[in-house]
Amino acid sequence: MNIQIFGKNKCFDTKKAQRYFKERRVKFQNIDLLRYGMSRGELTSVARAVGLDALIDPKHPDAAMLGYLALESQKLEHLLEDPSLLRTPIVRNGRQATVGYCPEVWKSWE
C-alpha cells in the first residue's frame, strides 16, 4: 500500500485518519494541503475516484460559488488555486481514494 493523506493541520478527521493508519502500522505520507496543495494530476485522479462535487467542503464560505460554475474544468481550477475549498482528509491509495473519514473503505485496502 502507498497511502497518502492530504489534510489540514487543525482538521479533526485528518487526525483520526492518521491515527487509524498508525494503529495498524501502515506507513503513510502526510501532506499539509494548505501548505503544499495538490498537483493537477493528483486532484484529477482523486476526482475520478470520488467525483468532483465530493471534494468540495460544504462548510467553506466560497463553496456555494463553485456550484454556479458550469464546467468541471473551472471547478478544478478553483480547487487548485484555493486548496482550503477541499474537504479533508483526502486519502489516496494508488488510483483509489476517499474523502472524509472512511475506515470501512480503508479496511478493504489492507
Side-chain angles (χ1 to χ4, degrees):
M1 271 194 297
N2 188 19
I3 303 293
Q4 291 179 307
I5 300 176
F6 294 88
K8 301 171 188 167
N9 285 338
K10 296 184 179 181
C11 174
F12 182 68
D13 283 343
T14 298
K15 291 183 190 310
K16 282 175 38 179
Q18 292 168 349
R19 186 172 51 242
Y20 175 89
F21 289 106
K22 279 181 189 173
E23 287 172 353
R24 284 151 185 80
R25 293 185 173 87
V26 175
K27 290 186 179 183
F28 62 90
Q29 179 184 12
N30 188 47
I31 298 137
D32 184 356
L33 199 52
L34 299 179
R35 188 170 184 189
Y36 300 108
M38 289 180 90
S39 72
R40 181 178 304 279
E42 290 168 335
L43 188 57
T44 304
S45 171
V46 172
R48 263 191 237 118
V50 299
L52 193 57
D53 291 333
L55 286 169
I56 300 169
D57 183 0
K59 296 176 188 168
H60 193 282
D62 294 338
M65 183 258 318
L66 285 180
Y68 293 111
L69 297 175
L71 299 175
E72 294 223 340
S73 61
Q74 291 176 323
K75 290 181 185 179
L76 196 68
E77 286 301 317
H78 276 283
L79 292 173
L80 285 168
E81 289 171 15
D82 185 6
S84 69
L85 282 163
L86 293 166
R87 193 170 147 222
T88 54
I90 298 170
V91 181
R92 285 184 67 206
N93 180 22
R95 292 181 185 214
Q96 299 173 311
T98 60
V99 178
Y101 184 69
C102 305
E104 62 284 346
V105 176
W106 303 334
K107 271 184 199 164
S108 70
W109 293 353
E110 295 174 11

